[in-house]
Amino acid sequence: MSRDIRESASGGVAMGLMIRELTRVADVPLETWNALVGRRYPFLRHEFLDALESTGCVDAESGWVPRHLSLWQGERLVGVLPHYLKMHSFGEYVFDWSWADAWERAGGRYYPKRLSAIPFTPAIGPRLAVASDISLTQAIQAVAAFFEERGDDLSSWHLLFADEREVTQWQVQWPSLLRREAVRFEWRDAGYGDFEGFLASMVGKRRKEIRRERRKVAEQGLSLHRLSGGDIDAAALAHFYRCYRITYLERGQMPYLSEAFFTRLRATMGEALMLVQVRQGDTPVAAALYLQGGDTLYGRYWGSEVVADCLHFEACYYQGIEYCLEQGLKCFDPGTQGEHKLLRGFSPELSTSLHYLPHSGFREVVARFCVEERQAMGHYRLACRERLPFRPVQ
């Protein structure tokens, strides 16, 4: 066994499963890890998590210390859950700064907290992956026992952006988890056929506005080109990264992800990448990088060297929708937040996070907050749905 695999302090045995903490995903062979997680969700793949770790985007210095939970039946790996010790709450997109402040004002120590999520990636998908002969119920019970054994030394554990099927299982097996909800926006194919069919489903005003926005991009002398897999060469990726950095530098921040990270992604899982390159003449001036998995396209990274009307809408939304329709993909997740997505055909949907707070008094206070927040999110989602631009179904 690798020296970087740590046995849980008290054994971590539940339902015949042993939990061990991994200090890097590379301690498990790529084929073994991916046999559990599959290829439908790109962010849980060994290649993606290893790229984060091997290029230093995720490490002690960044405040994301890998402690992945691995489930074993004897000497056979039967489950994995991405897991980190977090020294702050940056890069999560589920905000608990007020919880941390309250706990520390009360004399507690909130950080490091424990977190199961994909770093810097608010994309819904599976989190706990298990072998076909292991039930998710068994695995959740083992993980719950692992964390409950650490209650005295643990401020909190958080599960972010798990898919709803898995969330339901976690709540059934571990009722003390607190549930938070937020609103995100996604596009789903309703049998549109092509982009014109998508526009035909909208009211006339919005249909005209989208066509106008797309024309405006072309009228500024800009053309868009989609590159996939091996067509994304080193020069195209280097230009993309220059643009990506600009997005952060404009806000006075350094980017979370390095050029080495994207270079490694291109080398190890290039077939999952799709790059929209914007050119002015023959010169690239902006870019948006997407990942594809299963029947879903994920829009994640963007930047531009030029200021151009409607370019962000075209490169990050319309190109993604058009690509999905051409490739037969059913869903497009364009990233978090942004009510401007509503008028461009993205529906408001709920994302869920689950939270374990061992201290009963702290948990009671946060539970009341979560109830009020869920009610507010429900009202907000209904208000958003009223703004969708689609014609009534006859």
Side-chain angles (χ1 to χ4, degrees):
M1 183 183 301
S2 165
R3 62 182 174 82
D4 287 326
I5 298 180
R6 301 184 177 186
E7 297 280 357
S8 61
S10 57
V13 179
M15 305 297 292
L17 300 178
M18 171 74 75
I19 291 183
R20 300 168 183 161
E21 294 186 82
L22 310 177
T23 59
R24 56 183 185 176
V25 71
D27 285 316
V28 174
L30 181 150
E31 297 80 5
T32 305
W33 181 283
N34 283 351
L36 293 172
V37 307
R39 298 172 65 87
R40 291 185 60 81
Y41 182 71
F43 308 109
L44 199 55
R45 284 172 55 176
H46 190 284
E47 299 96 323
F48 189 88
L49 296 175
D50 183 54
L52 288 170
E53 294 171 16
S54 63
T55 61
C57 296
V58 165
D59 58 13
E61 186 175 344
S62 70
W64 292 78
V65 181
R67 289 291 185 270
H68 305 304
L69 301 190
S70 60
L71 284 69
W72 300 78
Q73 197 173 59
E75 290 304 307
R76 182 171 74 104
L77 180 67
V78 296
V80 291
L81 176 68
H83 177 241
Y84 302 87
L85 300 181
K86 279 300 300 297
M87 308 306 172
H88 50 66
S89 294
F90 291 109
E92 299 173 19
Y93 303 93
V94 175
F95 305 110
D96 62 346
W97 295 104
S98 61
W99 300 5
D101 181 64
W103 186 236
E104 293 184 356
R105 284 174 180 270
R109 183 182 178 208
Y110 196 75
Y111 303 107
K113 64 179 182 178
R114 288 180 176 259
L115 175 77
S116 289
I118 309 299
F120 320 118
T121 308
I124 289 177
R127 292 295 177 262
L128 178 56
V130 297
S132 59
D133 60 335
I134 301 295
S135 74
L136 190 59
T137 295
Q138 281 181 289
I140 289 173
Q141 289 173 350
V143 173
F146 173 86
F147 285 121
E148 287 177 346
E149 289 168 1
R150 284 150 184 76
D152 292 341
D153 301 318
L154 173 69
S155 76
S156 56
W157 171 72
H158 310 264
L159 179 71
L160 308 187
F161 297 103
D163 61 42
E164 193 58 33
R165 170 184 166 273
E166 189 175 324
V167 164
T168 299
Q169 290 285 340
W170 280 102
Q171 290 189 288
V172 168
Q173 300 304 322
W174 199 1
S176 60
L177 292 175
L178 302 180
R179 178 184 179 115
R180 293 186 73 181
E181 292 178 350
V183 172
R184 62 189 178 87
F185 302 94
E186 72 174 27
W187 176 91
R188 287 193 172 272
D189 186 6
Y192 300 123
D194 56 19
F195 199 86
E196 281 302 309
F198 167 61
L199 291 182
S201 69
M202 294 183 169
V203 297
K205 179 180 179 181
R206 285 309 307 160
R207 186 163 58 244
K208 292 175 183 176
E209 280 296 304
I210 290 175
R211 286 178 175 149
R212 183 188 65 81
E213 288 175 349
R214 303 196 83 183
R215 281 198 309 271
K216 182 171 283 191
V217 171
E219 289 166 356
Q220 294 169 94
L222 301 171
S223 61
L224 290 97
H225 308 265
R226 292 198 290 266
L227 309 175
S228 297
D231 294 333
I232 305 173
D233 60 18
L237 193 70
H239 173 262
F240 153 75
Y241 190 74
R242 290 201 303 274
C243 295
Y244 167 76
R245 285 185 79 244
I246 289 171
T247 301
Y248 283 84
L249 295 175
E250 286 176 341
R251 301 196 298 261
Q253 298 175 236
M254 291 299 293
Y256 286 131
L257 302 171
S258 66
E259 186 170 4
F261 165 77
F262 291 107
T263 299
R264 189 168 180 87
L265 277 195
R266 174 177 169 266
T268 60
M269 52 186 294
E271 84 290 344
L273 303 182
M274 192 274 282
L275 179 70
V276 172
Q277 187 178 80
V278 183
R279 299 174 191 165
Q280 199 159 45
D282 294 329
T283 304
V285 295
L289 186 66
Y290 299 73
L291 279 83
Q292 180 179 333
D295 62 359
T296 302
L297 183 68
Y298 301 91
R300 300 259 67 86
Y301 318 108
W302 145 264
S304 177
E305 298 173 304
V306 297
V307 176
D309 286 349
C310 303
L311 181 57
H312 180 261
F313 302 146
E314 177 64 39
C316 297
Y317 304 150
Y318 303 144
Q319 286 291 315
I321 292 171
E322 201 164 57
Y323 180 82
C324 286
L325 290 165
E326 291 175 2
Q327 299 297 318
L329 304 179
K330 299 302 181 185
C331 183
F332 173 27
D333 171 1
T336 59
Q337 303 175 340
E339 292 181 9
H340 55 278
K341 295 176 180 135
L342 284 169
L343 298 181
R344 291 163 180 88
F346 292 85
S347 297
E349 305 295 342
L350 293 176
S351 63
T352 304
S353 60
L354 297 177
H355 308 268
Y356 173 56
L357 305 174
H359 188 280
S360 60
F362 188 29
R363 184 169 63 246
E364 183 180 344
V365 172
V366 173
R368 291 199 297 268
F369 165 81
C370 289
V371 169
E372 295 173 359
E373 184 183 50
R374 287 200 304 273
Q375 292 172 345
M377 288 296 108
H379 294 314
Y380 174 62
R381 184 187 179 205
L382 288 175
C384 285
R385 292 189 70 83
E386 293 177 357
R387 296 177 56 196
L388 285 169
F390 297 110
R391 293 185 290 120
V393 177
Q394 301 299 319

